[in-house]
Every structure is written in C-alpha cells, then in structure tokens.
Amino acid sequence: MKTIELNHPLIQHKLAILRDKETGTKEFRELISEIAMFLCYESMKDAKLENVEVETPITTLKTGKLNEDKYAFVPILRAGTGMLDGVIRVIPNAKIGHIGMYRNEETFKPVNYFFKVPKDIEDREVIILDPMLATGGSAIDAIEILKEKGVKKLKFLSIIAAPEGVERVEKEHPDVQIYCAHIDECLNENKYIVPGLGDAGDRIFGTK
Ligand code: PRP
Ligand code: URA
C-alpha cells in the first residue's frame, strides 16, 4: 500500500512551527497531539459503520455509527505516547497497548523493552503511533510483534517519515497502511530525518 501523506496547508503550517528549534516543550506537545488527531481522522476514511436508527428532536433516520470496541491504539514508547491524547479525542473508547522500544545509538537497531496490549488485541484493528519513521526498524519490529500476537489489520501513523524507512516498511509489510504528515528528504549519518525536527522523544518530554 502506498503511504498516504497529509497534504494540507494547515498541516504544513503546524509542521513549520513543530520543526522550529525555538519551539518549546508545551507548544511542541500540543502540535504533536493536534497533528496526530488529523492523521487519525484521515486514517478512518475506510472505517465500516454499523447501521443504526437515530431519533432526532424532529424525526428518525437510518444512519451509521462506529463500533469503537473494534480499535486499539499502540504507541511506541516513548515518543508515540505524545500522539495519544490527540487520537483518543477521535476514538475515545479505543483500548490502548504499549510497545517499549529505543534505537541503539551505534547500530541504529531497535531494542524492545516493554510490551503490554489489551487481551483481545487479535480482534481489534490496531493503529500504531510513532511520530518518527526513520530507518523503519522500529515500525517493522512493532508490526511483526503485533502480527505474531494475531493482529490482522494494522495501520501506522507517523508525523514525519524518511523515504528510506517508508520504502522498507512498504516492502516488508505491504498490508499495513502508513499515514504521515510529511515525507522528508533523507536520513543523515546518525539516521536522523533531514530536515526533520530533531529527537521527538526529547522534545516532547524535555529530556535534553
Ligand atoms: C525514535 C522514534 C522511533 C524511532 C524511529 O525513538 O520515536 O521510535 O526512533 O527510528 P527508526 O525508524 O530508525 O527505528 P527513540 O529511539 O529516539 O526513543 P524515544 O521515543 O524513547 O526517544
Ligand atoms: N528519532 C527521532 O526522534 N528523530 C529522528 O529524526 C529519527 C529518529
């Protein structure tokens, strides 16, 4: 599946502030959350609704409602948790799992340190959250772990992606739809996204 990039002046505007190295922790967090909300909105375009009848103050109509019990969000720790409150505003009754991963600074390979997901995860559509898709290693590992747990439908939401990472994930998991706010130019020698926004986790949590 071809990666879907949000192409909208409002997103470009928010990304411009997000990328600015002078943007402080509070505003950075708010923007990550807002952009995540728009990504979630876009990713639900293919959602199947259940038929319901609603009585309005005027009349009754047949319409559709989302069965929110069919969804789970899984942020990749740490930075992915910054996207949680935005997506939860869109699907408030979704369950939440966590995958803990950090990139080894020398090999750039992901190291898995935590895993806890809802018991019925295999019956849910899982939406993985991570603001940065760089080499794609963390995304690929997270997708593999969830598939091993029996998850059949997966989506991946990221704020900024590198073309190298997008290509790897698309190739290894062609069934997983990626949504991102922007695909940047490349990775640098430290596997950081260029122009990117720096270290998302450190900027969300103020750890550097
Ligand atoms: C960042 C980011 C992704 C990963 C992306 O996490 O949030 O999880 O790197 O890189 P990849 O595509 O090359 O795997 P980081 O290791 O900085 O951990 P943190 O979220 O705890 O800061
Ligand atoms: N992780 C980040 O936080 N930023 C990057 O550019 C790459 C990986």
Side-chain angles (χ1 to χ4, degrees):
M1 275 193 252
K2 193 95 189 68
T3 293
I4 294 173
E5 200 178 358
L6 297 184
N7 193 3
H8 194 288
L10 199 55
I11 297 293
Q12 199 179 336
H13 163 73
K14 288 182 188 293
L15 282 177
I17 307 170
L18 191 73
R19 291 177 189 278
D20 190 330
K21 65 180 168 53
E22 301 302 335
T23 298
T25 306
K26 176 180 178 289
E27 199 177 4
F28 191 88
R29 272 189 209 135
E30 287 166 357
L31 287 161
I32 289 278
S33 168
E34 280 171 26
I35 298 170
M37 192 166 74
F38 290 117
L39 280 166
C40 186
Y41 171 80
E42 181 65 26
S43 77
M44 293 304 287
K45 249 187 173 161
D46 65 352
K48 303 263 182 302
L49 301 181
E50 293 182 353
N51 296 330
V52 290
E53 196 168 273
V54 172
E55 208 170 315
T56 78
I58 311 296
T59 184
T60 57
L61 88 156
K62 290 189 190 331
T63 182
K65 263 187 168 175
L66 192 70
N67 181 353
E68 295 189 33
D69 293 335
K70 287 191 172 161
Y71 297 89
F73 292 115
V74 176
I76 300 180
L77 306 177
R78 291 175 303 165
T81 59
M83 299 169 75
L84 251 189
D85 60 340
V87 297
I88 276 299
R89 271 190 246 165
V90 185
I91 315 177
N93 289 309
K95 288 205 175 159
I96 298 165
H98 292 88
I99 296 183
M101 264 178 204
Y102 67 88
R103 260 190 352 178
N104 177 302
E105 283 177 11
E106 276 149 30
T107 64
F108 308 115
K109 296 225 160 43
V111 180
N112 194 343
Y113 63 87
F114 187 78
F115 183 79
K116 182 88 182 168
V117 293
K119 270 204 198 87
D120 58 354
I121 195 78
E122 69 275 12
D123 300 326
R124 292 174 179 267
E125 175 172 328
V126 173
I127 303 171
I128 305 174
L129 313 171
D130 194 329
M132 309 307 277
L133 196 169
T135 65
S138 306
I140 288 168
D141 277 17
I143 294 167
E144 274 165 10
I145 292 168
L146 288 162
K147 282 187 174 174
E148 276 164 22
K149 296 284 169 194
V151 177
K152 290 167 275 302
K153 185 154 187 204
L154 281 149
K155 288 173 177 166
F156 192 95
L157 309 189
S158 74
I159 306 248
I160 300 201
E164 297 91 323
V166 164
E167 200 182 312
R168 260 185 85 194
V169 182
E170 282 178 355
K171 196 162 161 235
E172 297 214 17
H173 294 287
D175 55 318
V176 177
Q177 179 69 64
I178 304 171
Y179 298 83
C180 69
H182 197 261
I183 302 177
D184 274 12
E185 283 166 28
C186 58
L187 295 171
N188 68 13
E189 63 283 8
N190 296 317
K191 308 290 182 202
Y192 270 79
I193 301 174
V194 181
L197 47 73
D199 190 305
D202 283 338
R203 294 194 68 184
I204 292 168
F205 298 106
T207 38
K208 241 179 213 163

